[in-house]
């Protein structure tokens, strides 16, 4: 799942970063971009860069609206109904705040606004690759799929040679 998440996220980021959007809008200075405002239930008013909003507006990201962050936990805790959509936006916001703080306090690191934005991309996309039932999928389905693939590979090689 981690590989799938990373692949999905990195593919989406590369697509967006190298798409004509950047060139059409001549985004040179990240800090000067007009950000969009979101009302986050935990963090209040937050601002996100237009490129992050481009990701949020994709069908792949919008799909997260229909996935509960805590699965069946809401059957025990009725208020625990937030989705992966709002979770991911909150994670992107917090990741950005952490990196901005490091950038300010450790200026010798040379962290740029682009670095902050890239970390926010990664944070925003970190849950896009989850399979059905999320971590249950990681713990039960993927190991079994790998085991079956290994058996199939051995059989295929046996037939070939
Ligand atoms: Zn997450």
């Amino acid at each position: 799942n981690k590989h799938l998440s990373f692949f999905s996220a990195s593919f989406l980021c590369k697509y967006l970063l190298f798409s004509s959007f950047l060139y059409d809008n001549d985004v040179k200075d990240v800090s000067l971009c007009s950000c969009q405002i979101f009302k986050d239930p935990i963090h209040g008013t937050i601002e996100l860069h237009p490129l992050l909003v481009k990701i949020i507006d994709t069908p792949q990201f919008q799909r997260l609206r229909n996935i509960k962050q805590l699965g069946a936990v809401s059957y025990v805790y009725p208020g625990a109904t937030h989705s992966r959509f709002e979770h991911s936006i909150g994670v992107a916001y917090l990741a950005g705040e952490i990196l901005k703080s490091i950038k300010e306090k450790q200026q010798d690191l040379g962290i740029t606004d682009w670095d902050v934005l890239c970390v926010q991309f990664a944070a925003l996309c970190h849950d896009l690759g989850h399979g059905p039932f999320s971590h249950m999928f990681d713990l039960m389905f993927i190991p079994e799929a790998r085991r079956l693939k290994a058996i199939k590979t051995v059989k295929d090689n046996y037939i070939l040679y």
Side-chain angles (χ1 to χ4, degrees), residues 69 84 87 126-127:
Q69 173 66 18
R84 285 208 184 274
H87 161 73
H126 81 277
D127 272 344

Side-chain angles (χ1 to χ4, degrees), residues 28-46:
K28 297 256 182 342
D29 188 346
V30 178
S31 63
L32 294 178
C33 286
S34 59
C35 292
Q36 286 202 20
I37 295 171
F38 288 75
K39 291 288 187 183
D40 185 87
I42 306 291
H43 308 292
T45 302
I46 62 176

Side-chain angles (χ1 to χ4, degrees), residues 7 10 19 26 46-47 49 64 76 90 93 101 106 110 147 158:
F7 176 77
S10 64
S19 72
D26 198 24
I46 62 176
E47 294 182 355
H49 189 277
L64 299 177
V76 178
Y93 167 73
S101 175
Q106 298 186 47
R147 191 182 69 79
Y158 181 74

